[in-house]
Amino acid sequence: MQLQYLRIGSISTTHGLDGKLKIHPTISDLSVALEIPHVYLLRKGSYECFDVEHISRIKSELLLKMKGIDDIETSRRYIGTEVYVDRDELEPLEEDEYYIPDLLGLSVVTDDGKTLGKINDVIETGANDVYSVRMENGKDVLIPAIHDCILDVDIDGGKMTVHLLPGLIDEENK
């Protein structure tokens, strides 16, 4: 099931003296976060909303300046805090595009009705993503995120239907 808020990372450290914070991202496409008007910090079980003064990319991290946080002492209080964005404030995804956190934990069933396991990781290879599915026997099977293999993704229903190409699962892993 899709949650209203999408986790984009966690605050790793401060940056400078004027309240900027570095975010270690949990999303692969950092550009989705570059035009957001608000961030939601999860603290003590509830979301606290902050207006974004500035957000940019620095190498593989995000640099965030929130309105009202103007010094290093105040910003230090947020180190380790998880950072979320409201899905309604993001650009809509294209067809067959998904956020990785939405895929993790999906039940995977084959096109002949057999339960394969649950997605426990998404590996980004450049050409196409690969879904790591943990089977009941504790072993992982890797399924390429291509149309020949991925038949249906139902985020709200918590299920992905796949077609296993020959060789994806060897006899000892069945």
Side-chain angles (χ1 to χ4, degrees):
M1 183 174 102
Q2 235 180 31
L3 299 174
Q4 179 64 30
Y5 298 108
L6 175 71
R7 183 173 183 243
I8 63 167
S10 61
I11 296 173
S12 58
T13 189
T14 59
H15 182 81
L17 301 174
D18 63 350
K20 291 187 186 107
L21 294 159
K22 280 190 179 179
I23 298 173
H24 179 74
T26 55
I27 55 174
S28 56
D29 183 4
L30 299 183
S31 65
V32 301
L34 295 180
E35 302 210 14
I36 53 173
H38 306 97
V39 291
Y40 298 82
L41 304 185
L42 185 58
R43 298 184 58 175
K44 299 177 183 170
S46 62
Y47 295 99
E48 189 176 345
C49 180
F50 289 89
D51 293 332
V52 172
E53 188 172 307
H54 178 78
I55 191 164
S56 61
R57 183 179 183 165
I58 295 182
K59 297 182 183 176
S60 63
E61 293 189 309
L62 293 168
L63 184 61
L64 171 66
K65 175 70 174 87
M66 300 182 292
K67 290 182 182 172
I69 308 296
D70 297 318
D71 61 84
I72 191 168
E73 292 306 318
T74 305
S75 64
R76 279 188 181 137
R77 297 179 196 152
Y78 296 97
I79 293 174
T81 304
E82 294 180 348
V83 182
Y84 291 79
V85 295
D86 188 329
R87 289 175 187 273
D88 292 339
E89 295 177 348
L90 297 173
E91 291 290 321
L93 293 172
E94 298 290 324
E95 185 176 343
D96 295 333
E97 283 187 336
Y98 307 95
Y99 294 114
I100 290 173
D102 293 337
L103 296 171
L104 298 175
L106 286 183
S107 293
V108 178
V109 284
T110 62
D111 49 354
D112 60 0
K114 294 179 184 162
T115 300
L116 194 58
K118 291 186 181 285
I119 296 177
N120 68 337
D121 195 12
V122 177
I123 303 162
E124 298 172 87
T125 65
N128 57 267
D129 290 346
V130 176
Y131 302 139
S132 175
V133 178
R134 175 77 33 98
M135 298 187 298
E136 288 184 10
N137 64 9
K139 296 185 179 184
D140 292 341
V141 60
L142 301 177
I143 301 175
I146 58 174
H147 288 289
D148 289 346
C149 292
I150 310 303
L151 303 179
D152 184 57
V153 178
D154 180 3
I155 299 291
D156 290 330
K159 182 172 96 170
M160 178 185 287
T161 305
V162 300
H163 172 72
L164 293 178
L165 297 175
L168 284 180
I169 298 182
D170 54 31
E171 289 303 315
E172 64 204 39
N173 286 334
K174 283 188 176 178

